[in-house]
Amino acid sequence: MTWIQEIRHIVGEEYVQTKQSSLLSYAYDATPNFNTKPEAVVAPASEQEIKEIVTVCANYQIPIVPRGSGTNLAAGTTPTQGGVVLLFHRMNRILELDEDNLTITVQPGVITGDICEAVEAKGLFYPPDPSSMKISTIGGNINENSGGLRGLKYGVTKDYVLGVNAVIANGDVIQAGGKNVKDVAGYDLTSLFVGSEGTLGIITEATLKLVPLPESKQTLLASFDSIERAAETVSKVIANKLTPATLEFIDRATIQAVEDYTHVGLPTDAEAVLLIEQDGPPSICEHDIQLIQSIAIEHEAISTQIAETEERATELREARRSALSALAKRSPTTILEDATVPRSEIATMVKAIEAIALEHDVKIATFGHAGDGNLHPTCMTDLRDKDEWERVEAAFAAIFRKAIDLGGTITGEHGVGEMKSPYLAWKVGDEGIQLMNQIKHAFDPDQIMNPGKIFHRSGGEVDE
Amino acid sequence: MTWIQEIRHIVGEEYVQTKQSSLLSYAYDATPNFNTKPEAVVAPASEQEIKEIVTVCANYQIPIVPRGSGTNLAAGTTPTQGGVVLLFHRMNRILELDEDNLTITVQPGVITGDICEAVEAKGLFYPPDPSSMKISTIGGNINENSGGLRGLKYGVTKDYVLGVNAVIANGDVIQAGGKNVKDVAGYDLTSLFVGSEGTLGIITEATLKLVPLPESKQTLLASFDSIERAAETVSKVIANKLTPATLEFIDRATIQAVEDYTHVGLPTDAEAVLLIEQDGPPSICEHDIQLIQSIAIEHEAISTQIAETEERATELREARRSALSALAKRSPTTILEDATVPRSEIATMVKAIEAIALEHDVKIATFGHAGDGNLHPTCMTDLRDKDEWERVEAAFAAIFRKAIDLGGTITGEHGVGEMKSPYLAWKVGDEGIQLMNQIKHAFDPDQIMNPGKIFHRSGGEVDE
């Protein structure tokens, strides 16, 4: 029996795809320029099946690449070394919503947006909200430690994962954490799995922390004729001990693209727009949003607008969430990055990105989460233009370098994947890479778990 | 040159203690029945000195035990295999309070209470508040992932550690994380160091997340004539989507001890007392605390009392914080445990603890953090009574077993240390122990970093 036959035996014929047309569909994720077909695409139905698949793959040294909905932007879910792509659409059940303990236990294939809807129906709230949440899976979000628009006030995925089950390369099922908010029994394996990009094991179940759903929301749009004024507004909001739920930044190029795409009435004459939301009890929301509005006006906002209705607020929020789609329509290839800096360095970083784009003669629009310094410089280019592509790569290297110099990081919420692996050493040092490699080895000595991701082939060095 | 001479050469004569009287002082921490002298007690002044000390210790295979203020309750900071105890009182500086990015960067020897005071002076807030915070160090808190009274609303130490520097056994300085709220560049080494009890490396610096200081606080004391009514009150508070800052439970025996010790007027006729605090904007605080009061009354509270003044609130808060000291006065030996269960299981667990105490003929009082299920069954005993001591150990084993059976954990906030290492496998399984052992090996192949802690000598098995 070949290994593919063995896997067919585990999950059933119909859940193993090996036709070229099927393999092609799973050769790439949302990252341009990475495209390698797997040898099989497998959809297991249970943790037990995953355990058996992993055992077969370990025996034959076959790479396993777990894939949620393939929205990854750093080539984290492309099978660049072939092998098996694991799908989770048959493991998409909410197993328990525990209202007493404020937890939800889910299988990895549940769409994150469905979790939000299920808990909101009970007056509860799962805050992490990556822009992809309507299509991305919770398993993918956990593997990538996804962020989103609410990072400043609510944190990111890791702040809500209380426990995971995972199958590691030797076939063991590791049960890390659980429903306990306080649990210090040994190393924090839960946090180690979160954001490990499928390189340590296959997550088969997760228990997430919930909080009460805020009673109300308020949304403010403020536009500025300079990036500095927008950034100063952000600083002043923080200095006033305010913690908005959302504090988004959009630059001129993105404003134009989003407006062309959504026609929601964004001020296309502005250099920068802030989209600010507060949630909580109505009196607090109102107080905070009005104070933020007055701070924006103090900092020479050219216009401010508090959404009068929930429809208008949704429109503005959706407009912001559409930024990638809007920019993607403007060129054959779009590269969305997520270099991140301490909040106080946002204006410096946005200016630096503009200068780098100019220097390398490439088109970069920037938007992102100003509240947590997580920016999305987005390059509109054409992969087929080899000369421009080289300039794009050089520009992004310069952007990563600048983020590091400002005390930031090469990736705030998208992950390292294969694409950013050459730059990881800039952030964590050769010592950090070596230690992470040793951790990887402890979990997966034969490198079958999503090989080639996080760790650069040449061992963490990058040509400059 | 001997290894001690080499270390003297690094830190200076006066910072290496080897006199028997000095060694005796560092032979134990706050855990009864663990007492082993180190060979030297060393107080380095810098990360560089620690790097050099670690290198010497690695060369000579000398154990290194980092120690904050020695308040550990699980024999986590006792030098049970001899070697060097590292002290951090010369590394007790706040390096930076960054009000723009809401972070504070500190050396490990800073007293946690001093961090709180420093940030509160700027209108900011560091929420983790272990009962020992007035004397314990932030380095100790990070190594143990300390909890405290505010876990339900604010989480624990790990939720506030954005980055650490640590020296690992090979002498490398690992810089994990930083000021960025969003950072997914590789594995989450920061979370791995937090709660690793000194077994992975020596923490030399940490960057902590701050939040705005709540504007006001309200404190409510509610007493009940049954544990169930108190527990139902807790459930109903959560069901009402309230998230109090503090939700403490005190049983009859603890109430009596605390009242005798503090004379603050606790209702000594009650079976259970809840101490509940809310913080936030005044209107919200008042609304929440009144709603909680009415929920308590609905659940047949025999008395409820909202603190009229901040002095009274402080008195009640300090009374609760004094529980361990109060109980410790009642017997030669006190063992404070921290078995933890999902919040919904508190009444069951408290009842089970009572039954276990009866069955083993030992005296156990219970108090703890009802909001997060983190209980502190506290045994009043006498170490010299060998027969009773055996019954105490059997009782605690039964308590840990019960916590696990209820979906809980053997330690919520104190750590595994050496004392609870025999029970770790009950929580994480043999697979979990094996994986943690491999992680330990990746960081510290020669087992010089706080050896014997977390991992039981016999390899994770426990005699039942």
Side-chain angles (χ1 to χ4, degrees):
Chain A
M1 230 175 7
T2 68
W3 63 268
I4 290 182
Q5 285 169 326
E6 289 189 37
I7 289 177
R8 283 204 172 102
H9 192 72
I10 296 165
V11 298
E13 288 283 343
E14 64 270 49
Y15 300 114
V16 180
Q17 303 177 49
T18 52
K19 272 195 292 191
Q20 286 305 307
S21 57
S22 307
L23 301 181
L24 248 177
S25 307
Y26 297 98
Y28 53 87
D29 56 20
T31 321
N33 212 21
F34 286 85
N35 196 324
T36 312
K37 276 184 295 188
E39 287 153 87
V41 178
V42 179
S46 67
E47 182 177 275
Q48 179 58 33
E49 287 187 5
I50 291 174
K51 196 174 148 76
E52 293 172 23
I53 293 166
V54 166
T55 304
V56 170
C57 288
N59 285 344
Y60 292 90
Q61 301 285 295
I62 307 297
I64 311 175
V65 181
R67 177 186 167 110
S69 300
T71 56
N72 191 279
L73 291 159
T77 52
T78 46
T80 47
Q81 299 184 20
V84 168
V85 165
L86 270 196
L87 303 180
F88 296 89
H89 56 268
R90 298 176 68 209
M91 294 176 71
N92 66 347
R93 276 180 309 132
I94 293 176
L95 300 172
E96 185 196 32
L97 174 46
D98 180 343
E99 293 182 70
D100 288 330
N101 293 305
L102 302 185
T103 61
I104 187 167
T105 301
V106 297
Q107 290 187 312
V110 183
I111 300 296
T112 304
D114 292 347
I115 292 175
C116 297
E117 275 181 29
V119 307
E120 286 176 22
K122 302 284 186 185
L124 295 171
F125 187 36
Y126 175 71
D129 63 338
S131 290
S132 61
M133 65 190 289
K134 283 189 184 164
I135 50 167
S136 60
T137 65
I138 190 67
N141 287 183
I142 292 171
N143 271 313
E144 302 300 326
N145 186 14
S146 299
L149 279 65
R150 303 188 187 115
L152 170 61
K153 183 169 184 172
Y154 289 103
V156 295
T157 299
K158 76 169 173 179
D159 299 306
Y160 295 87
V161 184
L162 289 172
V164 294
N165 284 10
V167 177
I168 60 172
N170 68 4
D172 279 351
V173 176
I174 301 296
Q175 297 188 301
K179 284 188 181 177
N180 304 286
V181 175
K182 288 181 175 169
D183 184 358
V184 292
Y187 301 142
D188 186 356
L189 298 180
T190 306
S191 294
L192 199 50
F193 278 113
V194 176
S196 64
E197 307 193 24
T199 63
L200 299 181
I202 308 295
I203 289 167
T204 55
E205 192 178 306
T207 297
L208 310 172
K209 174 179 151 176
L210 305 172
V211 296
L213 185 65
E215 290 168 56
S216 69
K217 264 192 259 190
Q218 291 261 2
T219 305
L220 167 73
L221 193 75
S223 63
F224 300 84
D225 61 8
S226 97
I227 288 164
E228 284 81 0
R229 291 301 93 74
E232 284 163 12
T233 300
V234 171
S235 295
K236 197 61 190 283
V237 166
I238 301 298
N240 270 274
K241 316 299 181 206
L242 295 165
T243 311
T246 296
L247 218 172
E248 296 289 306
F249 167 87
I250 314 172
D251 79 351
R252 177 190 274 274
T254 311
I255 296 167
Q256 188 66 60
V258 170
E259 182 55 23
D260 290 352
Y261 186 69
T262 62
H263 309 291
V264 298
L266 293 185
T268 49
D269 56 332
E271 280 300 315
V273 155
L274 294 178
L275 177 72
I276 302 162
E277 292 201 280
Q278 183 57 304
D279 60 13
S283 62
I284 303 304
C285 259
E286 200 153 314
H287 166 270
D288 284 4
I289 217 80
Q290 281 173 6
L291 182 52
I292 296 170
Q293 184 179 36
S294 67
I295 291 170
I297 292 169
E298 255 172 51
H299 288 83
E300 300 169 22
I302 52 177
S303 75
T304 66
Q305 182 194 128
I306 295 176
E308 297 282 332
T309 61
E310 180 50 30
E311 289 65 40
R312 178 62 180 158
T314 304
E315 206 171 67
L316 292 173
R317 210 178 294 138
E318 296 299 322
R320 158 60 190 87
R321 283 189 188 275
S322 75
L324 173 55
S325 312
L327 289 166
K329 286 190 84 93
R330 295 176 101 79
S331 57
T333 310
T334 316
I335 316 207
L336 175 70
E337 267 308 336
D338 75 328
T340 299
V341 291
R343 187 191 306 122
S344 58
E345 302 292 352
I346 285 175
T348 309
M349 188 66 199
V350 173
K351 289 286 187 188
I353 292 169
E354 285 180 354
I356 289 166
L358 206 64
E359 188 193 331
H360 292 83
D361 188 22
V362 294
K363 283 199 287 279
I364 300 182
T366 299
F367 61 97
H369 317 300
D372 47 39
N374 179 209
L375 293 171
H376 293 308
T378 303
C379 187
M380 288 152 287
T381 180
D382 185 342
L383 194 50
R384 295 160 299 188
D385 181 340
K386 293 298 165 206
D387 178 59
E388 181 167 293
W389 188 254
E390 276 175 28
R391 283 181 283 121
V392 168
E393 290 195 317
F396 275 113
I399 288 171
F400 298 145
R401 184 81 262 171
K402 185 68 186 178
I404 296 291
D405 290 347
L406 292 173
T409 185
I410 59 167
T411 172
E413 56 182 13
H414 293 170
V416 177
E418 186 143 333
M419 189 168 84
K420 271 182 286 196
S421 63
Y423 308 103
L424 182 60
W426 291 2
K427 173 65 176 80
V428 305
D430 291 333
E431 302 86 350
I433 297 263
Q434 196 189 331
L435 185 55
M436 289 181 192
N437 243 315
Q438 281 159 351
I439 294 170
K440 164 78 173 169
H441 186 80
F443 282 75
D444 178 26
D446 295 330
Q447 308 267 340
I448 62 166
M449 293 290 175
N450 210 2
K453 311 304 155 56
I454 299 183
F455 302 101
H456 190 50
R457 286 169 205 236
S458 79
E461 289 302 314
V462 62
D463 308 324
E464 281 193 78
Chain B
M1 222 166 24
T2 67
W3 63 267
I4 291 184
Q5 285 170 326
E6 288 188 38
I7 289 177
R8 284 206 171 98
H9 193 72
I10 296 165
V11 297
E13 289 283 340
E14 64 271 48
Y15 300 113
V16 180
Q17 302 176 50
T18 51
K19 272 195 290 188
Q20 287 306 308
S21 58
S22 307
L23 300 182
L24 249 177
S25 309
Y26 297 99
Y28 53 87
D29 56 21
T31 321
N33 213 20
F34 287 85
N35 195 324
T36 313
K37 277 184 295 188
E39 289 154 86
V41 178
V42 179
S46 67
E47 182 177 275
Q48 179 58 32
E49 287 186 5
I50 291 174
K51 194 174 150 77
E52 292 172 23
I53 293 165
V54 167
T55 304
V56 171
C57 288
N59 285 343
Y60 293 88
Q61 302 285 295
I62 307 296
I64 311 175
V65 181
R67 177 187 168 109
S69 301
T71 56
N72 191 278
L73 291 159
T77 52
T78 46
T80 48
Q81 300 183 21
V84 168
V85 166
L86 270 197
L87 304 180
F88 296 90
H89 57 268
R90 298 175 69 208
M91 294 177 70
N92 66 348
R93 275 179 309 131
I94 291 175
L95 299 172
E96 185 196 33
L97 174 47
D98 181 342
E99 293 181 70
D100 288 329
N101 294 305
L102 301 186
T103 61
I104 186 168
T105 300
V106 297
Q107 291 187 312
V110 183
I111 301 296
T112 303
D114 292 347
I115 292 175
C116 297
E117 276 182 29
V119 307
E120 287 177 21
K122 301 286 185 186
L124 296 171
F125 188 36
Y126 174 71
D129 62 339
S131 290
S132 61
M133 65 190 290
K134 282 188 182 163
I135 52 167
S136 60
T137 65
I138 189 68
N141 288 184
I142 292 171
N143 272 311
E144 303 299 326
N145 186 15
S146 299
L149 280 65
R150 302 188 187 116
L152 169 62
K153 182 167 184 174
Y154 289 104
V156 295
T157 300
K158 76 169 173 181
D159 299 307
Y160 295 87
V161 183
L162 290 172
V164 295
N165 284 9
V167 177
I168 60 172
N170 68 4
D172 279 352
V173 176
I174 302 294
Q175 296 187 303
K179 285 187 180 177
N180 304 286
V181 175
K182 287 182 178 170
D183 184 357
V184 292
Y187 301 143
D188 186 355
L189 298 181
T190 307
S191 294
L192 199 50
F193 279 114
V194 176
S196 65
E197 308 193 24
T199 65
L200 299 181
I202 308 296
I203 290 167
T204 54
E205 193 178 306
T207 297
L208 309 172
K209 173 179 152 177
L210 305 172
V211 297
L213 186 65
E215 289 169 57
S216 69
K217 262 192 264 192
Q218 292 261 5
T219 304
L220 167 73
L221 192 75
S223 61
F224 300 84
D225 61 7
S226 97
I227 288 165
E228 283 81 0
R229 291 301 94 74
E232 284 163 12
T233 301
V234 171
S235 296
K236 197 61 192 281
V237 166
I238 302 298
N240 270 273
K241 317 298 180 207
L242 294 165
T243 310
T246 295
L247 217 172
E248 296 290 303
F249 167 86
I250 315 175
D251 79 350
R252 177 189 274 274
T254 312
I255 296 167
Q256 188 66 60
V258 170
E259 182 55 23
D260 290 352
Y261 186 71
T262 63
H263 309 292
V264 298
L266 293 184
T268 50
D269 55 331
E271 280 301 314
V273 155
L274 293 177
L275 177 72
I276 301 160
E277 292 203 277
Q278 183 57 303
D279 60 12
S283 62
I284 303 304
C285 261
E286 200 153 315
H287 166 271
D288 285 4
I289 217 80
Q290 281 173 5
L291 183 52
I292 295 169
Q293 185 179 36
S294 67
I295 291 170
I297 292 169
E298 255 172 53
H299 288 83
E300 300 169 21
I302 51 178
S303 76
T304 65
Q305 182 193 127
I306 296 175
E308 296 284 330
T309 61
E310 179 51 28
E311 289 67 39
R312 178 61 181 159
T314 303
E315 208 171 65
L316 293 173
R317 210 178 294 138
E318 295 299 323
R320 159 58 190 89
R321 283 189 187 275
S322 76
L324 173 55
S325 313
L327 290 166
K329 284 190 87 91
R330 294 175 102 79
S331 58
T333 310
T334 317
I335 315 204
L336 174 69
E337 267 308 337
D338 76 329
T340 298
V341 291
R343 186 191 306 121
S344 58
E345 303 291 353
I346 285 174
T348 309
M349 189 65 198
V350 173
K351 288 287 188 187
I353 293 168
E354 285 179 355
I356 289 166
L358 207 63
E359 187 193 331
H360 293 81
D361 187 22
V362 294
K363 283 200 285 283
I364 299 182
T366 300
F367 62 96
H369 317 300
D372 46 40
N374 180 208
L375 294 171
H376 294 308
T378 303
C379 187
M380 289 153 287
T381 180
D382 185 343
L383 193 51
R384 295 161 299 187
D385 181 340
K386 292 298 164 204
D387 177 60
E388 181 168 293
W389 187 255
E390 276 175 27
R391 284 182 280 122
V392 167
E393 291 195 317
F396 275 114
I399 288 172
F400 297 146
R401 184 81 263 171
K402 184 70 186 177
I404 296 293
D405 290 346
L406 294 173
T409 183
I410 59 167
T411 173
E413 57 182 13
H414 294 169
V416 177
E418 186 144 332
M419 189 169 83
K420 270 180 288 195
S421 63
Y423 307 102
L424 182 60
W426 292 1
K427 173 66 176 79
V428 305
D430 290 335
E431 303 86 351
I433 297 264
Q434 196 189 332
L435 185 56
M436 288 183 192
N437 242 316
Q438 281 159 352
I439 293 170
K440 164 77 174 171
H441 187 79
F443 282 74
D444 178 25
D446 295 329
Q447 306 268 339
I448 62 166
M449 292 291 177
N450 208 4
K453 310 305 156 53
I454 299 183
F455 303 101
H456 191 52
R457 287 169 203 234
S458 79
E461 290 302 314
V462 64
D463 309 322
E464 281 193 76

